[in-house]
Amino acid sequence: VIDVVDAPDATDVPDPTDRLYEMSHAWAHRTASLMRIDAVDAAGRLLATATARVAEPGPLLAMKLQAPMMRTTAKEGTDLLDVVAILLDPAARDVALTQLERCEPVIAADAALHADRWFVQQVDRTLRLIRSAGGTDIGRDELALVAELLAAATRR
């Protein structure tokens, strides 16, 4: 579960990391959907029900691209693994990429900057972090695909 900040769009924030934090959270908050979550036991009996606001894949990707900048090394790996998981999932990928293609240009530019950092400039470190977070089946080919998909979706 990720807390989403109901922040105003902050196009005037000069730092791209801070700006992406604020704008991606605001985007996620604006577009989140209410979802009913049921907890059931092994026999299928309903134990509890809750309703939560759930972020769309595109805003979640933008949030996850920024998040490693403010995390411990262990959390960096899980955030980056989440980005890869979303983009390797056929259903989530198409929705996420369409949303990124249509997002505000400032969000796209900042997301592109962060994607380039993690999946091009620091790809070896990213691969180590992802594998240490449990993504042992992820390799350079998958990271190259992620970099390509993110670059195309954020290109304006």
Side-chain angles (χ1 to χ4, degrees):
V1 175
I2 300 173
D3 288 331
V4 177
V5 176
D6 184 13
D9 285 326
T11 56
D12 60 339
V13 173
D15 180 74
T17 297
D18 294 340
R19 186 174 50 236
L20 185 58
Y21 174 85
E22 294 212 12
M23 292 190 73
S24 64
H25 279 76
W27 182 25
H29 188 270
R30 267 193 321 273
T31 60
S33 301
L34 284 176
M35 180 177 283
R36 179 180 150 170
I37 302 168
D38 294 332
V40 296
D41 64 16
R45 290 183 298 259
L46 184 64
L47 300 175
T49 297
T51 303
R53 292 178 55 87
V54 177
E56 290 288 322
L60 185 58
L61 269 182
M63 289 169 47
K64 289 290 189 171
L65 285 169
Q66 177 279 330
M69 299 293 291
M70 306 165 104
R71 304 281 211 164
T72 63
T73 301
K75 282 300 293 170
E76 283 181 274
T78 61
D79 288 327
L80 294 166
L81 181 56
D82 289 342
V83 170
V84 172
I86 290 168
L87 291 173
L88 294 183
D89 178 85
R93 174 183 52 234
D94 293 342
V95 174
L97 293 174
T98 297
Q99 290 169 339
L100 280 176
E101 288 166 359
R102 295 177 181 164
C103 75
E104 295 180 45
V106 173
I107 295 174
D110 291 344
L113 180 73
H114 287 76
D116 183 69
R117 176 187 185 119
W118 305 125
F119 297 101
V120 177
Q121 295 176 28
Q122 296 182 17
V123 68
D124 292 329
R125 181 176 184 273
T126 295
L127 185 58
R128 282 192 308 276
L129 289 168
I130 286 173
R131 286 184 172 165
S132 70
T136 56
D137 57 339
I138 303 299
R140 286 185 147 282
D141 290 343
E142 287 80 11
L143 297 188
L145 174 62
V146 165
E148 182 180 321
L149 292 170
L150 288 168
T154 56
R155 190 174 297 121
R156 299 288 190 270

